[in-house]
Amino acid sequence: MNRSRIAVAVAGLSLSASAGAASWGSFNSVGLTSGSIYCSTTTCQTTTAGLTGSIITMSAYSTPTLNASGTSSPVDTGNWLDARIRIYSGSGGGIAIANNVQPSTTEASSPQHAIDNRGVNDLLVVDFGSDYWDLSSFTIGYACKMYGASSSDTSPSCNGSSVNVDAWLGGSGAIDFNTVSFAGGVPTGGFTQLTLNPDIGGTGLRNDTSNPDVVGRYLVIAGSLGGYKDAFKVTGIEAEYTPPPPPPGGNNVPLPGSVPLLAAGLVGLWASRRTLARRR
């Protein structure tokens, strides 16, 4: 299976000056919640109240089955389950997920307090709010290459910060992600796996030479489906709204009702000129 990879060390988000582009980063702290987190380009919170501009909705899910044996990747089949999400601030901060499959003590302890693929795949879903969003990059802050006795080890340690991450873009309209599952390593519902350019600076840049035009409403980020040692926190997302162009000749098509209005105007002008002629 061809999977996207990111070699991660230190986070850093480059703001884009392109028209239609938006960057979400420097996330403020938000406590653990079973709901969603909403972010404008400057503020994150658990409601949309007061937020303006480009707003994303971030929600957490996980695969449903715990792989508690051996050193192997989690089972990625089955519909996704709701998980909890939070944002840590400061050094080692970023978006993190606590799934409801593993013990809460495990999910609250480093390094599995982050987004990880040890025993269960944690899944971050970013909703851009409308279709036709093109991902430019996302950034990783905290990163831990875990090691331990097995994939169910409750106290793994970190052995470096080079982690493998998978990402998918797609979907349209409102999607119930509790009905989504992986099929052949890709989420169902119209998603495409992204090819990412490894970057030791901690940025996953789009490098889709085979699928450069892939856009969608949702971005899904997870640790490598083929691994079980990756833990990380997302610190920034950059994307651009790219709606399809209007049909050719669209500017030459009269607006609805404009033809009758033009005809009425011409008749009125003709009647006015006849009245003036009679007065003369």
Side-chain angles (χ1 to χ4, degrees):
M1 185 183 302
N2 181 21
R3 296 189 176 89
S4 50
R5 295 286 184 260
I6 307 175
V8 180
V10 182
L13 179 64
S14 299
L15 300 181
S16 172
S18 302
S23 296
W24 299 268
S26 302
F27 297 127
N28 54 279
S29 176
V30 177
L32 188 66
T33 176
S34 57
S36 298
I37 293 177
Y38 307 90
C39 293
S40 68
T41 56
T42 59
T43 304
C44 293
Q45 55 193 42
T46 55
T47 71
T48 59
L51 296 180
T52 59
S54 298
I55 300 171
I56 55 174
T57 303
M58 300 187 296
S59 305
Y61 298 89
S62 76
T63 47
T65 305
L66 174 64
N67 178 6
S69 62
T71 53
S72 58
S73 58
V75 178
D76 62 13
T77 56
N79 290 350
W80 297 356
L81 300 180
D82 290 330
R84 293 160 292 162
I85 187 171
R86 71 179 303 165
I87 300 178
Y88 291 93
S89 61
S91 177
I95 303 163
I97 290 175
N99 66 66
N100 294 312
V101 178
Q102 294 169 294
S104 58
T105 52
T106 299
E107 291 298 285
S109 303
S110 177
Q112 287 181 262
H113 68 307
I115 301 171
D116 72 273
N117 57 0
R118 197 172 190 85
V120 171
N121 288 306
D122 293 338
L123 306 162
L124 174 64
V125 174
V126 180
D127 181 357
F128 293 106
S130 60
D131 299 344
Y132 305 114
W133 281 86
D134 182 6
L135 177 73
S136 300
S137 65
F138 60 90
T139 57
I140 303 299
Y142 170 89
C144 169
K145 177 64 76 173
M146 297 179 287
Y147 72 95
S150 71
S151 60
S152 60
D153 192 330
T154 58
S155 301
S157 302
C158 294
N159 183 22
S161 58
S162 180
V163 297
N164 292 333
V165 179
D166 287 348
W168 303 263
L169 183 66
S172 63
I175 294 179
D176 178 2
F177 280 90
N178 292 130
T179 66
V180 172
S181 60
F182 283 109
V186 177
T188 56
F191 285 84
T192 298
Q193 186 158 15
L194 302 179
T195 302
L196 302 169
N197 185 30
D199 181 349
I200 60 173
T203 303
L205 297 172
R206 280 283 296 275
N207 189 29
D208 279 325
T209 55
S210 57
N211 297 298
D213 299 323
V214 171
V215 295
R217 174 170 172 170
Y218 302 94
L219 169 66
V220 179
I221 301 174
S224 167
L225 294 190
Y228 62 92
K229 299 180 179 181
D230 308 298
F232 60 93
K233 297 171 189 171
V234 175
T235 56
I237 299 168
E238 183 177 345
E240 184 173 1
Y241 180 59
T242 57
N251 292 335
N252 296 324
V253 178
L255 295 173
S258 62
V259 172
L261 287 173
L262 177 60
L266 291 175
V267 170
L269 178 60
W270 174 78
S272 175
R273 294 187 65 181
R274 287 198 62 185
T275 301
L276 289 173
R278 287 175 180 172
R279 288 178 179 175
R280 290 176 184 172

